[in-house]
Amino acid sequence: MKITIKESQNPTILKFEFPDFITQNENFEFKNIDETKNSPLAQQLFYLPFVKTVYISGNFIAIEKYNIVEWDDVKEAVAEQIENFVNNGGIIISVDENKTKKQPITVYGETTPNPAALKFVVSKMLTKNAVEFKNIDETAASPLAKELFKFPFVKEIFIDENYVSITKYEVNSWDEITIELRSFIKQYIENGGNVLDESLIITDVGQEKQQIKNFDSLDTTSQQIINILEEYVKPAVAADGGNILFDSYDEKEKRVKVVLQGACNGCPSSTFTLKSGIENMLKDMLNDKDIIVEALNG
């Protein structure tokens, strides 16, 4: 058995891949040695002083290190230690016979107007609050998003209602990665993985302005714009794996600023949608031909 060493998007995390799957459609995360009761291998790895976190999933073990060492100095020794442990009959993960059976779900990929974004629709509700993650450092509220960012081709993640919208880097085509992402999301949720802890979501300025508690303090035109966006625009962009948020309205310039999220962010057709769709809609419904809509990509 030979281990393959692969870098991740996070320079502190290195992946050690096996030639075969080492878990039964499950994902494990160990923050310290006290949590490693069901993983003798993770327990052994924590005896290395630079190991901060151990992840076990699919066909790999990922290790997050403290900054006291560089991976180039220790990665070969770590790979050798893992190989020796497994080749000598060591147990990677102990099976918990009493674990609750997984709940089957379906996940399918749906194209969006943005060629860099794909919408993964899940057969269950995931969240009531739309949330966007630009990088792995922002994922404190979403263990699922954190795991997805470990795929090197994942650029941004947007989660809302019953779907996960993923924006990729150009290095890979969707044909190469869709099945892998769909399978991972399906297995993660089926096995009880936490998608989103809504109590940890950090509300941004744009979202805060649209909360009911602040709505009454806005001017009448801003309130009307928010109502139009909520009723007529949001359902359409949500169907495409994105979201739109009201940011501000300048009465002097007649300028409406909105924030685009998910698949709408960076979409080549978003400018056309804003000008020919949303802007014209606001002009007609507010009876003001001077209104201008400007997008602030989220």
Side-chain angles (χ1 to χ4, degrees), residues 135-253:
N135 55 62
I136 197 169
D137 293 332
E138 298 178 353
T139 59
S142 177
L144 172 59
K146 183 176 182 180
E147 293 300 317
L148 288 170
F149 271 117
K150 293 172 187 175
F151 290 97
F153 40 76
V154 172
K155 182 179 181 181
E156 296 176 9
I157 298 168
F158 178 74
I159 303 175
D160 191 15
E161 296 184 341
N162 68 325
Y163 67 87
V164 179
S165 180
I166 296 178
T167 303
K168 68 174 182 66
Y169 288 102
E170 294 182 0
V171 65
N172 292 95
S173 68
W174 283 119
D175 289 341
E176 298 172 316
I177 61 178
T178 298
I179 293 177
E180 183 178 6
L181 285 172
R182 187 192 69 82
S183 298
F184 179 85
I185 294 171
K186 174 178 167 59
Q187 292 171 7
Y188 181 92
I189 298 174
E190 280 185 338
N191 287 296
N194 187 12
V195 174
L196 197 64
D197 183 345
E198 305 209 13
S199 67
L200 297 178
I201 295 175
I202 300 174
T203 305
D204 65 30
V205 175
Q207 289 172 314
E208 185 66 26
K209 287 182 180 177
Q210 294 171 85
Q211 299 301 312
I212 294 175
K213 62 182 180 181
N214 293 316
F215 182 84
D216 292 337
S217 66
L218 296 175
D219 62 271
T220 301
T221 304
S222 293
Q223 292 178 350
Q224 291 175 322
I225 292 170
I226 291 173
N227 288 333
I228 293 170
L229 293 178
E230 290 287 330
E231 185 173 355
Y232 298 99
V233 181
K234 273 197 174 185
V237 297
D240 289 333
N243 191 33
I244 186 168
L245 299 171
F246 172 80
D247 179 80
S248 62
Y249 170 66
D250 188 311
E251 188 173 1
K252 291 182 179 180
E253 295 184 1

Side-chain angles (χ1 to χ4, degrees), residues 26-37:
E26 294 178 284
N27 309 287
F28 302 89
E29 179 177 348
F30 305 100
K31 292 290 188 181
N32 55 63
I33 198 169
D34 292 335
E35 298 178 353
T36 59
K37 181 179 179 180

Side-chain angles (χ1 to χ4, degrees), residues 39-67:
S39 178
L41 174 55
Q43 186 176 85
Q44 178 170 313
L45 290 171
F46 271 110
Y47 285 111
L48 299 172
F50 54 83
V51 171
K52 181 179 181 181
T53 309
V54 176
Y55 308 92
I56 301 178
S57 177
N59 70 328
F60 69 86
I61 292 174
I63 299 175
E64 181 181 9
K65 70 172 182 66
Y66 289 105
N67 292 327

Side-chain angles (χ1 to χ4, degrees), residues 226-283:
I226 291 173
N227 288 333
I228 293 170
L229 293 178
E230 290 287 330
E231 185 173 355
Y232 298 99
V233 181
K234 273 197 174 185
V237 297
D240 289 333
N243 191 33
I244 186 168
L245 299 171
F246 172 80
D247 179 80
S248 62
Y249 170 66
D250 188 311
E251 188 173 1
K252 291 182 179 180
E253 295 184 1
K254 299 295 182 72
R255 186 180 302 275
V256 179
K257 292 185 179 180
V258 295
V259 178
L260 300 179
Q261 294 181 316
C264 295
N265 185 4
C267 176
S269 63
S270 61
T271 301
F272 176 80
T273 301
L274 284 169
K275 294 298 179 183
S276 299
I278 302 171
E279 188 174 287
N280 287 340
M281 180 185 295
L282 291 177
K283 286 179 178 180

